[in-house]
Amino acid sequence: MSKHRIINLLRNGQPEEEVTIQGWVRTKRESKKFAFMEVNDGSSLANLQVILEPELENYKIILSQINTGASVEVTGILAESPGKGQRIELHATAVTVYGEADPETYPLQKKRHSFEFLRTLGHIRTRTNTLGAVMRIRNTCANAVHQFFQQQGFLWVHTPIITTNDCEGAGELFNVTRFNLKDVPKENGEVDYSQDFFGRQAYLTVSGQLEAEAMALTFDRVYTFGPTFRAENSNTSRHLAEFWMIEPEMAFCDLQGDMDLAEAFLKHIFKAVLDQCPEDMEFFNQRIDDSVLTTANNIINQEFERITYTRAIELLENAPKTFEYSVEWGIDLQSEHERYLCEEYFQKPVIVTDYPSAIKAFYMRLNDDEKTVGAMDVLAPKIGEIIGGSQREERFDILEKRIKEAGMTPEQLWWYLDLRRYGTVPHAGFGLGFERLIQFMTGMGNIRDVIPFPRTPENAEF
Ligand code: 4AD
Ligand code: MG
């Protein structure tokens, strides 16, 4: 038996073709003469309508078993569908029910469930239309990320997840401790969590950047795509404790080249998703946010705005509204400021450059004014910061000074300084938060709903 995916049958299946599908029942309807069931196999939003006639072996038993959520295999003959909404349907000649789902307890009812409720069902919620579409878009984006970089000769490098550095210097780290589960007392015992990583302090990485820089100084152009961890206790719709980041790093590159790459990269991914997931994108436009398709087309067709931080502050100071956080040169831009710039003032993505050194990480290249650094953040409507990047400090003496000013020691980062000792070059890169990209793409309001199993302060059950 060779099985068919429903998406392919709906696109290319021909009447009279014999096919076999496997999937999960979405709905069942019985009439006097026959019964219908809608089957979904995860390959697309659309279900395949299956017609069951009384001649089918075990008809009555099967009817009692194919409730919403049951898993089935159906062999049958395709036919043109007389009904609206689908081109073809499947007339079953054999049905196997693999696993039933008790209608009394199956948690997904036909009505619409809130996203909050669905978050309590992390193991099952991807069987809903919205979460299913999110995960397919996620897959297409991930594929487009690799395609973009591979086409341009970037090497995919795997940077460590366990690390001893705090790349962003924000101090928001998860500690890695070593203990043997067998040593954990079963009842009322104290667990010694203080054991460290074989004699040194180690953390879950917040960013693969520093290691990616080392790789870029061999391979010229590299990128990472992996999980990163932040212990910030933020319960917002844009923060996760575990998220995926894509971090390209380019040798012989300045801030201008970095911005050009970020813009071309986002355009490529949006184009790939519009080309490859038209039905899912249409769904988001209809059901979640009716500006999703216009936004995607604008990303592809319009140039992003590029302004300095100093100019951004001027625009905010002159804004015809008052912000909750007051604006003056030196502040870190808050989400309300970022949103004003890209949603109200420019109405498109904005790249803000040259932030004050005091609010940015130690590795960013100091500008000639000695007050600002060669940083760039890409701000997206409704999300705010989606990309953070910079030209890196490639001059040994200045980097060493910046490390000390940030409260670290040159000994801790000896290898990172070594890269400035041996064959240093101007280089630059950025980090894109993968989940924020998916939020931006789909219009989904909460970051917890664009990753299969979100890790947040209140949510790590699954
Ligand atoms: O701005 P960030 O902290 O930059 C870095 O980590 C750099 N080392 C990147 C680089 O230059 N290679 O994080 C980069 C992006 C942010 O713009 C945001 O999209 C995302 O990562 N991000 C988060 N996404 C979800 N949850 C969180 N807690 C996030 N923190 C950052
Ligand atoms: Mg940032």
Side-chain angles (χ1 to χ4, degrees):
M1 190 263 320
S2 77
K3 97 167 161 191
H4 299 76
R5 297 308 304 276
I6 289 174
I7 189 171
N8 298 331
L9 296 182
L10 291 173
R11 283 186 185 155
N12 308 316
Q14 293 303 321
E16 318 224 337
E17 209 179 319
E18 179 173 79
V19 300
T20 298
I21 57 151
Q22 295 170 325
W24 290 265
V25 177
R26 283 288 174 90
T27 56
K28 164 180 80 166
R29 275 178 296 137
E30 291 176 50
S31 73
K32 284 209 183 89
K33 295 203 186 118
F34 46 84
F36 297 98
M37 69 174 165
E38 302 270 346
V39 178
N40 191 286
D41 67 357
S43 61
S44 83
L45 267 175
N47 306 319
L48 184 63
Q49 175 161 289
V50 178
I51 317 289
L52 305 136
E53 288 167 14
E55 295 73 52
L56 195 67
E57 203 179 331
N58 296 329
Y59 180 70
K60 284 261 154 61
I61 300 173
I62 288 168
L63 278 201
S64 71
Q65 293 178 325
I66 52 170
N67 298 301
T68 304
S71 48
V72 292
E73 178 176 300
V74 184
T75 298
I77 309 289
L78 291 179
E80 262 174 46
S81 175
K84 275 206 191 119
Q86 69 266 327
R87 189 177 63 83
I88 52 153
E89 59 188 24
L90 181 62
H91 290 253
T93 51
V95 175
T96 308
V97 178
Y98 278 86
E100 290 185 56
D102 181 353
E104 294 296 316
T105 55
Y106 187 62
L108 297 180
Q109 301 301 322
K110 240 185 133 183
K111 64 174 189 164
R112 247 183 164 183
H113 296 293
S114 73
F115 291 127
E116 272 103 351
F117 172 72
L118 290 175
R119 262 170 241 147
T120 67
L121 297 171
H123 56 311
I124 285 181
R125 65 176 182 161
T126 43
R127 297 189 196 179
T128 61
N129 284 339
T130 308
L131 271 291
V134 163
M135 297 313 153
R136 280 187 297 274
I137 297 234
R138 223 184 128 95
N139 169 64
T140 302
C141 284
N143 193 30
V145 166
H146 287 299
Q147 199 188 31
F148 176 81
F149 288 122
Q150 296 292 332
Q151 274 169 3
Q152 302 202 34
F154 282 66
L155 200 81
W156 181 22
V157 296
H158 305 102
T159 48
I161 288 174
I162 297 175
T163 171
T164 53
N165 66 64
D166 174 12
C167 173
E168 293 307 297
E172 288 161 334
L173 301 158
F174 288 108
N175 199 24
V176 174
T177 58
R178 183 179 70 93
F179 68 82
N180 190 326
L181 271 183
K182 282 190 239 127
D183 299 338
V184 177
K186 291 275 180 295
E187 277 161 49
N188 301 328
E190 290 289 308
V191 181
D192 180 8
Y193 289 106
S194 68
Q195 292 184 59
D196 48 19
F197 185 79
F198 304 106
R200 50 168 52 211
Q201 189 89 44
Y203 317 103
L204 296 180
T205 186
V206 296
S207 158
Q209 178 197 319
L210 304 187
E211 294 89 352
E213 282 183 54
M215 295 295 108
L217 295 196
T218 299
F219 300 106
D220 185 73
R221 298 168 144 222
V222 301
Y223 68 106
T224 72
F225 188 170
T228 48
F229 307 85
R230 306 264 165 119
E232 50 198 338
N233 195 355
S234 347
N235 272 304
T236 82
S237 58
R238 301 180 306 124
H239 288 89
L240 291 166
E242 175 180 304
F243 65 98
W244 288 65
M245 189 150 52
I246 295 134
E247 298 185 273
E249 192 67 37
M250 295 174 287
F252 309 99
C253 182
D254 61 10
L255 193 63
Q256 207 62 37
D258 204 26
M259 287 191 278
D260 292 345
L261 183 82
E263 186 164 344
F265 176 53
L266 286 176
K267 285 178 158 52
H268 176 91
I269 297 178
F270 273 84
K271 191 158 184 321
V273 171
L274 285 188
D275 287 349
Q276 293 165 41
C277 303
E279 293 93 358
D280 288 328
M281 286 300 284
E282 186 65 47
F283 171 85
F284 286 112
N285 205 61
Q286 275 178 20
R287 301 288 278 276
I288 303 294
D289 176 348
D290 64 7
S291 66
V292 155
L293 285 178
T294 316
T295 306
N297 280 305
N298 288 345
I299 295 286
I300 296 169
N301 298 316
Q302 292 181 342
E303 273 183 26
F304 296 5
E305 197 65 41
R306 298 182 183 192
I307 58 170
T308 62
Y309 169 89
T310 302
R311 173 95 181 105
I313 292 293
E314 273 166 25
L315 293 176
L316 292 165
E317 280 172 340
N318 295 322
K321 65 189 288 186
T322 45
F323 297 104
E324 199 185 325
Y325 292 89
S326 59
V327 177
E328 62 174 326
W329 200 96
I331 62 156
D332 205 356
L333 296 185
Q334 302 296 314
S335 141
E336 56 174 339
H337 306 135
E338 297 178 340
R339 293 184 61 165
Y340 170 77
L341 292 171
C342 49
E343 281 168 37
E344 295 181 48
Y345 194 86
F346 291 112
Q347 300 185 353
K348 54 161 131 164
V350 180
I351 311 184
V352 180
T353 62
D354 304 293
Y355 285 75
S357 61
I359 58 169
K360 288 292 186 189
F362 73 93
Y363 53 71
M364 297 191 182
R365 190 177 198 278
L366 196 64
N367 287 330
D368 292 343
D369 63 13
E370 300 199 351
K371 281 190 341 208
T372 59
V373 286
M376 65 115 185
D377 278 4
V378 181
L379 313 180
K382 299 202 174 134
I383 310 290
E385 180 193 334
I386 186 168
I387 285 181
S390 69
Q391 185 170 339
R392 319 306 189 189
E393 185 54 78
E394 86 284 13
R395 297 161 295 185
F396 184 95
D397 294 344
I398 299 177
L399 181 62
E400 188 180 44
K401 193 160 157 266
R402 297 266 289 148
I403 288 175
K404 287 182 188 155
E405 282 167 4
M408 293 178 285
T409 63
E411 290 71 37
Q412 278 174 312
L413 284 169
W414 65 272
W415 62 272
Y416 190 66
L417 279 162
D418 246 15
L419 298 170
R420 279 71 182 165
R421 244 187 223 113
Y422 307 120
T424 190
V425 287
H427 62 289
F430 64 79
L432 167 76
F434 192 53
E435 286 72 23
R436 290 203 188 161
L437 170 74
I438 309 296
Q439 272 194 285
F440 184 32
M441 182 89 65
T442 58
M444 291 294 286
N446 197 310
I447 199 163
R448 293 163 179 77
D449 302 325
V450 297
I451 183 165
F453 299 101
R455 299 291 98 123
T456 60
E458 84 287 1
N459 203 332
E461 180 164 0
F462 297 97

